[in-house]
Amino acid sequence: MNGITLTLRALHLGEQHLARELLTAAERHRAEHEVHHVAIDLSRWSHEHASRIAEASRDHGLNLADPPQAPHRALPSLAAAADEETAGAPGSRLPPDLRLLYDLRHLHLMATGNSLYWEMLVQGAQAAHEDALLQLASSCRPRTLRQIRWTNTMIKNLAPQALQALH
Amino acid sequence: MDASVDRIANPWGGRTPYPRGAPWPYRVDTYLSEQNDPADVERWVQTASILHSDGDAMDVAVRDGRMVGVRGRAQDRVNRGRLGPKDLFAWQANGSGDRLARPMIRHDGQLVESDWTTAMERIVSRTKGLLEQQGAGSIGFYTSGQLFLEEYYTLTVLARAGIGTNHLDGNTRLCTATAAEALKESFGCDGQPGSYDDIDHADTIALFGHNIAETQPVQWMRILDRLEGHTSPRLVCVDPRPTPVARHSTVHLAPRIGTNVALLNALLHEVIRTGRVDHDYLAAHTVGFEGLQERVKDCTPAWAAGICDVPAARIIEAAEIIGVADRLLSTVLQGIYQSHQATAAAVQVNNLHLIRGMIGRPGAGVLQMNGQPSAQNTRECGANGDLPGFRNWANDQHVTDLAGVWNVSADAIPHYAPPTHAMQMFRYAEQGSIRMLWISGTNPAVSLPELARIRSILAQDRLFLVVQDLFLTETAQLADVVLPAATWGEKTGTLTNADRTVHLSEKAVEPPGEAKPDLDIFLDYARGMDFRDKDGEPLIGWHDAEGAFEAWKRCSAGRPCDYTGLSYDILRGESGIQWPCNAQAPNGTERLYTQGISWAHPDTCESYGKDLVTGASDGVVDYQSLNPDGKAMIKPAEYLPPHEEPSENYPFQLTTGRTIYHFHTRTKTARAPQLNAAAPEVWVEASATDAAALGLGEGDLVEVRTHRGSLRGHLRVTDIRQGLLFVPFHYGYWDTDTPAGPGGQTPGRAANETTVTDWDPVSKQPLFKTAAAALTLVQRGAGPPAPAPTTTASAPLGHVGATEGGPTARVRQSSNPPNSTRGETT
Ligand code: SF4
């Protein structure tokens, strides 16, 4: 197994995980209607990325078809992330508007992690003259960047009210 | 020649055919209430319609201090003397006995009459308390698309610079937000590129989700007149209902709800595939064509046919007509704006024009329409969730410039994030971070989606609700303070229609009781709050409408919507004038972008753009690299499936909409006898196939149910597409036994009991046209047909007595030359 296959594996996990977490966020923030609907739309992208990675990986002797058994340790889920971020704060149950910001931040970081894997893949594929992988990365990575921009925009727009409100 | 026409039975009146390129002949429509004769009219007072965005110019007839009728202004560029049924009859609502005449305040849970001092003192002290305890973010303002420019501008100054809140929007969010956003995405700036006069010159008119026959009836008269003249245009209609537009079209496409982007991508695909692209125009004036080409290369008509459920051959035919057009006019309205992927779809219509070079010439234009009469003014004045004068909130230069106009420091104007849109304001109120909401001239308890939710938000104890309106609407009944407002005809101001035409509307009569113009109410509040500028002078230095207009001119100077060449005296003339109107264009500007794109440069653009799928904002750097020279931007978009699809329990798609005899939440049109009689009750439209499959027939009482709620109405069987239900929206409760909402003997009646809380992530316009619904029988009809008009898109399939207005709906139509060019006594 070389670095490219390792990266494909990591990215596959990352995209699957983001797809799931977008759906979790959509479910948790049903009353935040824009987040709810757009997160579902965006989870489709990650889902599609994951299957395309799995397909491409077959040529590299990897079988990524099955979902991982347990969530990857390095990828804490939404709930864990929010708890971690507020650990230490007394009775750290966040009000919904703050929890939303924290969840968006978490999604943002996950998508950013994926975009960096895509970047690595682009570079590695170029060096190794792996045209199919280059093709894959250049068609998926822009959508990962759009996911990042979305979480960023939502945080920017919602934070002023959420951080100022009396809780 | 004069004729008298029943304008309920025949909403568009008689024809005055004319050939392509000729001026539209005039026809003066006059309606006086029965007892009155033209000879008895004491004064004719100049105004324009506030019942839709046509901006029909008219004169109000006054006798003994009362309005007694209306007459179209022959010399006006917009309507050439014609009036629509709503223009002709709805003014009568002004005189109804249940107008609010005194302020009311809530006392022990009840609304009781009060006086202005007490009511205003309550509002001022609550504002001050909230500002102290929770800051400006706890106060929100939600206004209308039916006030005057002067009122929006004053409200904007007091909300943005006085209170310093980011929460100010208009109900134009439901109506025209996507139009504005689509123009910003393509041209960098709001402002209608085309002109209604393009109807005179077009050889092809494509109407996308725009039932113009019912929403802008006077411009439909213009199209009908062209259709009857020589060299008539070809029409392409995209609408799932059998509208009058569809019936006159060469090609009618009736797509599944929620698939507009797929359809438009296929049209773009075909135009590009057949080589009908104007490459010279693209090179000179646009960026982004390659991206579009790439995006639509697989979007074949066959692909779209599978998604949209329209025959591929029809799509090819429509693309052919659009592709060979020499002068193409497209218009867009709620079928796009209130549907899934609203902005993405509206932008694809702009793209069709850009790739065909159909911009900036007579007949080659785009009309991204508005529903409401003064929606354009909320956009210009920044009462819609933008900054005044189409300034860019993300451009510090623009904010500094605005701060200069207001003589405040730049950080007094919130601009850390885009202004809050209406749906988000309601969410903040639901969560409790907005504690005071001031609603002027709109009725969200009927007009917003998912009414049970909206009612519960408005009814919260912790929310201090101020409602300013003409009547005790469903919303006003939930208020803590109700302020009686004067309306059109009772106050002076200006209003600008969808094609940038500015009209003056003069006061004709006194408002009832103690009702006051909205402007005076806002000025009273500003005085009570004692807002100051940087130098300690009053922030708002004007005292009347003309003063507000002059202040607005200073704010608009040098901006795309430049009003500096206008004044009340100039507007008190022959005809409306289109902005920009300034020293360079003293007679106004018929079309934008005749010499290329004017406001898209990175330094001048109103917005740096958004992702058409996610709504994520682009930054200045992205914009600069995409569009360094300020050209028009061709932005592709991928199709996404709608968010709510039919299922086993909710097998139908449900769409809602406005119809020709009613407007907004019927607060006025239901109080005009002719309009009310023509469409007195809500109804439900279904196709013959669907009705037969469920064993339902014309006139049966049915229930429409979605995840959110239900309503009941009588069934009208029509030629609507299979699988689709239609319900006219904005039937409320004020004229039922439970005037605030459903309950007791009153089942759901408002279409918005059922609509989904979801909005376009780009324009933030709520989606009223994408729900999944079930249809069930409540009671077999006892014979009479549904109370739905036969004259319009709700035309029945079976035999049903025709809608008529009778003697009180007869309107005089005259083609004699107008004898008076000004609004004075005849
Ligand atoms: S009824 Fe029409 S004009 Fe009024 S807000 Fe709704 S969409 Fe706009």
Side-chain angles (χ1 to χ4, degrees):
Chain A
M1 200 175 276
N2 65 11
I4 288 188
T5 51
L6 278 174
T7 306
L8 281 171
R9 184 187 288 277
L11 187 53
H12 183 252
L13 267 177
E15 289 285 8
Q16 275 187 321
H17 194 67
L18 180 55
R20 242 190 348 261
E21 293 292 75
L22 281 162
L23 290 178
T24 308
E27 191 49 45
R28 181 186 284 178
H29 302 288
R30 277 189 159 271
E32 302 292 345
H33 297 85
E34 183 169 341
V35 172
H36 171 76
H37 290 291
V38 178
I40 294 175
D41 288 341
L42 297 193
S43 77
R44 287 206 195 94
W45 289 354
S46 284
H47 192 81
E48 191 191 315
H49 292 177
S51 15
R52 289 179 64 179
I53 293 165
E55 191 155 317
S57 302
R58 253 181 251 130
D59 302 341
H60 292 260
L62 272 177
N63 180 7
L64 297 176
D66 299 323
Q69 302 305 72
H72 197 283
R73 212 175 39 81
L75 301 167
S77 74
L78 271 182
D83 289 349
E84 203 173 283
E85 279 147 11
T86 51
S92 68
R93 265 191 61 88
L94 289 172
D97 48 351
L98 283 185
R99 166 157 269 205
L100 174 62
L101 287 182
Y102 281 60
D103 285 353
L104 285 166
R105 173 184 173 280
H106 179 64
L107 293 171
H108 183 84
L109 293 176
M110 281 200 298
T112 305
N114 291 347
S115 84
L116 294 172
Y117 281 137
W118 283 121
E119 182 79 62
M120 286 152 61
L121 207 57
V122 168
Q123 296 301 89
Q126 274 180 6
H129 301 289
E130 293 264 15
D131 284 350
L133 283 185
L134 191 58
Q135 190 48 50
L136 172 74
S138 36
S139 92
C140 296
R141 184 163 178 267
R143 297 208 294 198
T144 305
L145 297 178
R146 290 165 73 189
Q147 291 170 324
I148 295 173
R149 279 170 185 241
W150 175 69
T151 46
N152 194 64
T153 296
M154 292 312 290
I155 288 172
K156 177 163 185 170
N157 295 357
L158 294 172
Q161 188 78 0
L163 299 188
Q164 257 198 122
L166 298 180
H167 288 110
Chain B
M1 206 190 63
D2 278 15
S4 153
V5 176
D6 176 342
R7 293 294 301 281
I8 293 293
N10 180 357
W12 305 287
R15 296 280 60 79
T16 52
Y18 70 117
R20 180 171 165 193
W24 189 23
Y26 49 75
R27 176 192 94 193
V28 177
D29 296 349
T30 308
Y31 174 73
L32 292 176
S33 65
E34 282 168 283
Q35 317 84 306
N36 289 281
D37 192 282
D40 301 333
V41 173
E42 288 159 12
R43 286 185 306 135
W44 291 97
V45 180
Q46 176 179 354
T47 178
S49 172
I50 60 156
L51 289 157
H52 47 71
S53 60
D54 261 353
D56 302 331
M58 59 170 108
D59 295 325
V60 171
V62 180
R63 184 188 172 189
D64 299 332
R66 296 179 49 237
M67 289 187 187
V68 294
V70 289
R71 173 182 75 185
R73 288 173 69 79
Q75 59 279 32
D76 196 86
R77 58 172 301 279
V78 171
N79 56 324
R80 311 275 288 160
R82 288 162 194 77
L83 294 175
K86 280 182 277 216
D87 302 333
L88 289 163
F89 304 119
W91 57 271
Q92 300 166 101
N94 278 22
S96 45
D98 58 346
R99 280 286 298 276
L100 291 170
R102 300 196 65 198
M104 299 170 94
I105 57 176
R106 194 164 293 278
H107 188 78
D108 285 341
Q110 297 296 316
L111 279 176
V112 294
E113 284 210 347
S114 178
D115 56 74
W116 276 105
T117 316
T118 314
M120 197 47 85
E121 155 56 26
R122 247 191 210 206
I123 302 172
V124 167
S125 69
R126 182 60 72 107
T127 313
K128 287 183 173 162
L130 281 169
L131 280 177
E132 207 163 287
Q133 291 153 25
Q134 305 200 37
S138 60
I139 298 167
F141 297 87
Y142 182 45
T143 189
S144 179
Q146 295 165 62
L147 305 187
F148 290 147
L149 176 151
E150 293 76 0
E151 296 165 332
Y152 297 132
Y153 182 59
T154 303
L155 177 61
T156 300
V157 181
L158 77 82
R160 300 281 188 227
I163 303 278
T165 181
N166 213 16
H167 313 317
L168 161 63
D169 200 357
N171 72 3
T172 52
R173 184 63 62 185
L174 323 182
C175 188
T176 184
T178 303
E181 198 60 42
L183 295 172
K184 287 188 256 181
E185 292 299 329
S186 299
F187 305 104
C189 183
D190 194 357
Q192 190 73 269
S195 164
Y196 284 164
D197 289 357
D198 287 333
I199 296 173
D200 304 342
H201 302 281
D203 65 359
T204 305
I205 305 178
L207 299 105
F208 293 95
H210 185 194
N211 182 4
I212 192 174
E214 298 195 58
T215 55
Q216 279 80 24
V218 166
Q219 297 311 313
W220 177 241
M221 297 174 201
R222 194 171 193 158
I223 294 177
L224 287 175
D225 287 348
R226 282 263 351 249
L227 289 172
E228 290 209 355
H230 292 299
T231 53
S232 60
R234 293 202 279 183
L235 304 191
V236 174
C237 169
V238 176
D239 198 311
R241 294 172 75 217
T243 63
V245 179
R247 282 182 223 126
H248 284 86
S249 290
T250 309
V251 183
H252 173 207
L253 305 171
R256 290 184 79 236
I257 295 290
T259 65
N260 291 325
V261 168
L263 181 67
L264 278 153
N265 279 351
L267 292 174
L268 287 160
H269 170 97
E270 276 298 287
V271 171
I272 295 173
R273 186 188 65 79
T274 49
R276 283 157 177 156
V277 172
D278 182 341
H279 290 284
D280 293 342
Y281 187 88
L282 286 184
H285 299 300
T286 72
V287 294
F289 176 64
E290 293 70 27
L292 179 73
Q293 206 170 7
E294 175 66 21
R295 163 63 54 205
V296 302
K297 74 172 190 299
D298 300 324
C299 300
T300 61
W303 165 83
I307 294 168
C308 309
D309 187 30
V310 289
R314 285 292 94 69
I315 300 178
I316 294 170
E317 210 181 320
E320 172 83 23
I321 293 175
I322 290 169
V324 302
D326 188 39
R327 298 291 162 111
L328 170 67
L329 172 65
S330 292
T331 81
V332 189
L333 195 62
Q334 309 308 7
I336 300 275
Y337 299 161
Q338 294 178 342
S339 193
H340 179 57
Q341 296 199 279
T343 308
V347 164
Q348 302 318 307
V349 177
N350 294 343
N351 289 346
L352 270 176
H353 280 258
L354 290 169
I355 67 173
R356 294 232 51 238
M358 292 285 167
I359 288 278
R361 287 178 290 134
V366 180
L367 294 172
Q368 297 279 358
M369 290 297 299
N370 313 342
Q372 292 203 76
S374 65
Q376 187 57 54
N377 301 111
T378 65
R379 282 152 64 176
E380 297 153 13
C381 297
N384 71 328
D386 278 316
L387 292 186
F390 300 152
R391 288 172 174 86
N392 184 346
W393 66 267
N395 182 331
D396 285 341
Q397 242 5 80
H398 289 200
V399 178
T400 308
D401 175 53
L402 181 63
V405 173
W406 290 344
N407 193 32
V408 297
S409 71
D411 61 7
I413 305 169
H415 62 282
Y416 34 75
T420 316
H421 62 91
M423 297 303 290
Q424 189 64 46
M425 278 167 44
F426 279 83
R427 175 64 184 150
Y428 288 153
E430 184 173 38
Q431 287 186 327
S433 65
I434 285 186
R435 289 293 169 99
M436 167 174 158
L437 192 55
W438 186 331
I439 298 177
S440 43
T442 184
N443 189 10
V446 179
S447 58
L448 286 184
E450 203 178 346
L451 289 181
R453 169 174 180 260
I454 297 300
R455 283 188 292 264
S456 79
I457 294 172
L458 293 174
Q460 293 173 98
D461 274 344
R462 67 180 172 193
L463 179 70
F464 182 70
L465 183 65
V466 180
V467 174
Q468 168 175 327
D469 215 320
L470 314 185
F471 297 98
L472 197 63
T473 61
E474 291 83 346
T475 305
Q477 293 176 52
L478 301 169
D480 296 286
V481 178
V482 178
L483 304 175
T487 184
W488 173 91
E490 301 163 352
K491 59 180 186 178
T492 293
T494 52
L495 65 166
T496 306
N497 77 350
D499 87 341
R500 295 175 281 104
T501 306
V502 187
H503 283 114
L504 177 66
S505 174
E506 301 242 49
K507 177 172 172 174
V509 300
E510 289 300 325
E514 295 171 23
K516 286 189 195 184
D518 299 272
L519 178 67
D520 293 8
I521 300 174
F522 294 143
L523 290 175
D524 279 357
Y525 175 66
R527 252 189 313 273
M529 292 297 301
D530 196 27
F531 297 126
R532 298 281 160 171
D533 68 11
K534 247 181 0 197
D535 299 325
E537 295 299 317
L539 174 68
I540 294 174
W542 51 93
H543 310 285
D544 58 12
E546 193 161 0
F549 187 81
E550 291 298 318
W552 162 248
K553 280 164 62 176
R554 289 191 290 280
C555 185
S556 76
R559 302 300 309 158
C561 49
D562 194 328
Y563 276 64
T564 49
L566 295 173
S567 68
Y568 275 21
D569 277 342
I570 291 172
L571 290 169
R572 208 173 268 132
E574 298 261 313
S575 170
I577 299 176
Q578 288 166 288
W579 63 247
C581 178
N582 50 22
Q584 293 77 48
N587 300 318
T589 306
E590 192 163 27
R591 277 174 201 86
L592 303 182
Y593 311 137
T594 50
Q595 320 281 340
I597 308 305
S598 355
W599 291 92
H601 189 272
D603 296 338
T604 52
C605 66
E606 184 182 1
S607 158
Y608 298 131
K610 290 180 185 172
D611 187 309
L612 292 186
V613 168
T614 67
S617 305
D618 291 339
V620 60
V621 178
D622 311 301
Y623 191 90
Q624 278 163 342
S625 65
L626 167 77
N627 193 19
D629 303 318
K631 296 183 173 183
M633 293 161 282
I634 295 179
K635 293 192 175 174
E638 67 256 53
Y639 164 73
L640 296 182
H643 295 153
E644 188 166 287
E645 295 269 32
S647 61
E648 203 181 318
N649 292 336
Y650 298 100
F652 288 94
Q653 288 195 310
L654 170 66
T655 189
T656 65
R658 185 171 23 136
T659 67
I660 195 167
Y661 303 111
H662 86 282
F663 177 74
H664 210 241
T665 62
R666 291 176 77 245
T667 40
K668 283 185 175 168
T669 49
R671 287 174 170 98
Q674 298 88 340
L675 298 172
N676 188 48
E681 265 297 336
V682 70
W683 69 89
V684 178
E685 290 170 26
S687 74
T689 322
D690 290 325
L694 293 172
L696 300 172
E698 171 74 34
D700 285 351
L701 182 64
V702 293
E703 182 170 88
V704 174
R705 171 170 294 283
T706 70
H707 281 288
R708 275 72 52 186
S710 66
L711 66 94
R712 287 178 180 190
H714 292 275
L715 186 71
R716 164 58 49 91
V717 180
T718 77
D719 214 4
I720 195 169
R721 67 165 280 130
Q722 215 180 311
L724 182 65
L725 306 176
F726 172 87
V727 176
F729 60 36
H730 296 352
Y731 281 74
Y733 301 93
W734 61 267
D735 51 347
T736 68
D737 292 342
T738 56
Q745 296 304 305
T746 310
R749 183 195 203 203
N752 283 323
E753 303 295 344
T754 64
T755 47
V756 61
T757 307
D758 186 7
W759 55 84
D760 179 48
V762 189
S763 68
K764 320 297 184 191
Q765 181 155 352
L767 310 186
F768 292 104
K769 300 190 188 279
T770 57
L775 178 69
T776 49
L777 178 71
V778 177
Q779 202 177 13
R780 202 49 79 195
T790 61
T791 45
T792 59
S794 57
L797 277 184
H799 179 75
V800 167
T803 300
E804 281 175 8
T808 61
R810 297 205 79 83
V811 169
R812 201 174 110 215
Q813 289 179 176
S814 164
S815 47
N816 293 328
N819 47 11
S820 149
T821 52
R822 295 174 81 96
E824 331 86 351
T825 318
T826 48

